Amino acid sequence: MATAELVLGLLHSGPAHGYDVKRGHDAWFPDSRPLAFGQVYTTLSRLERDELVEVVDRGSEGGPERTVYGLTEKGREHLADWLAEPIQPALGAVDEMVRKVVATIHTGEDATAFLARQRSSHLRRIRELRAASADSGDDTPARLVRDFIAVHLDADLRWLDAALDRITDLKETSR
C-alpha cells in the first residue's frame, strides 16, 4: 500500500498533525484496516526526511504536544506524479485465501469444507458492505471504496466456485 502517498493526499487540503492524518485515513477508507498510529508517525518522519512534508507548528493547546505537518512544494509534485501514474496490475500475486486452499489440499484437509466456510464469509461481508453503502447517502468516496471491495469479493466468489468445481471433479475422477 502506498501509505506515504496517502499521507501526502491527506495533507493536501492543509496542515495536520498525526492524529488528524490517522482519522482522515480511516474516514476515507471506513471498511478497510485502520491505519496504525505508529505507521502514521513513521511515515511522517520519513516524508520529512525526504523533504516532502515540513513541520509548520508545534503546540500543545492544553493537551499533549502535537507536531503539525504541511506539504512542501516537492511533496505536492510527488503527490501529483503519483496520482497521475496508473498502477500495474498485480500479475502473479497470490493472496492468503489461495494459499490456504492450496495448503488445505496438500495437507489432506477437507478443502471443500474450507471453500464453503470461505464462501459464507465472503457473502456475509458483501451484505455488510451493501448495507453500509446504502446508509452512506451521498458519500461518493466511501461508496466507491465499498463498491471496489464488493466487486473484488464477488470475483473471489467466482474463483471459490470454480475451485470447488475443480476439487469436486478431481475427487470424482480419483475414485
Side-chain angles (χ1 to χ4, degrees):
M1 181 171 82
T3 304
E5 287 76 12
L6 283 175
V7 169
L8 294 175
L10 288 156
L11 292 172
H12 183 264
S13 62
H17 51 75
Y19 181 76
D20 287 336
V21 169
K22 187 246 188 297
R23 251 191 353 208
H25 172 276
D26 295 351
W28 279 12
F29 304 99
D31 296 288
S32 299
R33 185 172 52 108
L35 191 59
F37 282 108
Q39 190 172 13
V40 171
Y41 293 109
T42 300
T43 302
L44 284 167
S45 292
R46 197 169 48 251
L47 291 170
E48 183 182 15
R49 177 200 68 205
D50 296 342
E51 300 176 346
L52 299 174
V53 301
E54 62 188 352
V55 174
V56 295
D57 190 30
R58 289 187 203 275
S60 62
E61 298 177 20
E65 183 175 305
R66 296 198 189 270
T67 302
V68 178
Y69 295 88
L71 283 179
T72 62
E73 189 55 38
K74 183 178 175 182
R76 288 186 186 286
E77 290 170 10
H78 183 86
L79 176 62
D81 290 346
W82 179 71
L83 292 172
E85 185 68 29
I87 63 165
Q88 294 297 314
L91 300 175
V94 178
D95 73 8
E96 185 176 358
M97 180 179 65
V98 176
R99 292 176 193 275
K100 277 191 168 188
V101 170
V102 169
T104 302
I105 293 167
H106 284 292
T107 60
E109 296 296 322
D110 187 356
T112 57
F114 172 77
L115 290 167
R117 287 190 305 273
Q118 190 63 56
R119 191 173 196 293
S120 293
S121 177
H122 271 58
L123 288 169
R124 184 173 39 258
R125 184 67 176 130
I126 289 171
R127 283 191 300 274
E128 291 169 356
L129 289 165
R130 287 187 178 145
S133 198
D135 293 342
S136 65
D138 289 338
D139 187 356
T140 299
R143 291 184 88 164
L144 288 172
V145 170
R146 289 180 178 120
D147 290 348
F148 179 85
I149 296 168
V151 167
H152 280 77
L153 290 172
D154 187 59
D156 286 352
L157 282 172
R158 290 193 308 275
W159 181 85
L160 287 165
D161 290 342
L164 183 58
D165 289 346
R166 186 164 291 182
I167 290 168
T168 302
D169 290 347
L170 180 65
K171 283 182 180 178
E172 290 175 4
T173 57
S174 48
R175 286 182 190 177

